[in-house]
Amino acid sequence: MRSRVAGVRRRDRHGRGLRGPLTPPQTPVSRTRAERFHDLVADEVRRLGKRWGRELSRVEFAVEEVPEVEPWFDGPVPLGRTVPGEGGRPVRIVVFRRPVEARAAGDQELGRLIRDLLVEEIADLLGLSPESVDPSYDE
């Protein structure tokens, strides 16, 4: 007769080991889609910040799931938005994750779409053309 420590099972009912995660939690494979999206946005903000750091020092970047639209809104769903700074708060550029993911066909297109979206928002904020903000825009 095997002794059993209270509540601890070493095997499942078929005699195999218990199932567990296939990869450790710190590996990139186990990151969620939302976390990978946040990483793409953060990488792009860092890349653009190298060139426009001084101009973007008072700009806050954020990712939200979906935009808030009125029920009677009849138009394309916005992919991003620039919220003006009021009362000492910084200007905020928001990227909406779910509409951007729905529009992109794959990971490569998702990265390009995020890049183009941020470049367009920054260009609009600075009053410049997107090509002058990032020469690789729309390639």
Side-chain angles (χ1 to χ4, degrees):
M1 182 90 158
R2 289 185 287 175
S3 68
R4 212 169 161 201
V5 178
V8 177
R9 287 182 70 174
R10 303 257 184 242
R11 305 264 176 215
D12 67 2
R13 65 188 183 116
H14 299 289
R16 297 184 209 103
L18 295 175
R19 293 184 180 197
L22 296 175
T23 59
Q26 64 272 16
T27 59
V29 173
S30 64
R31 297 185 55 80
T32 64
R33 279 190 348 203
E35 290 170 334
R36 288 191 305 262
F37 189 88
H38 281 271
D39 290 345
L40 288 172
V41 171
D43 290 345
E44 200 57 40
V45 168
R46 259 191 305 279
R47 188 182 71 79
L48 292 168
K50 288 179 183 176
R51 183 168 182 188
W52 299 98
R54 190 173 46 114
E55 291 83 353
L56 299 177
S57 63
R58 295 276 302 146
V59 177
E60 179 181 283
F61 293 89
V63 175
E64 293 181 7
E65 290 296 306
V66 293
E68 292 180 17
V69 294
E70 302 299 329
W72 57 85
F73 179 77
D74 187 28
V77 176
L79 302 178
R81 178 176 296 150
T82 301
V83 180
E86 297 171 349
R89 292 182 13 222
V91 173
R92 192 166 188 239
I93 295 178
V94 181
V95 178
F96 299 114
R97 181 178 76 86
R98 300 291 297 266
V100 171
E101 285 180 337
R103 188 96 31 107
D107 288 342
Q108 188 173 13
E109 189 175 343
L110 180 64
R112 186 188 56 75
L113 191 57
I114 290 171
R115 181 197 65 199
D116 289 351
L117 177 65
L118 287 174
V119 167
E120 289 169 3
E121 293 293 332
I122 290 170
D124 188 44
L125 181 67
L126 299 177
L128 301 170
S129 70
E131 292 82 11
S132 63
V133 171
D134 185 12
S136 69
Y137 172 75
D138 207 24
E139 283 185 353

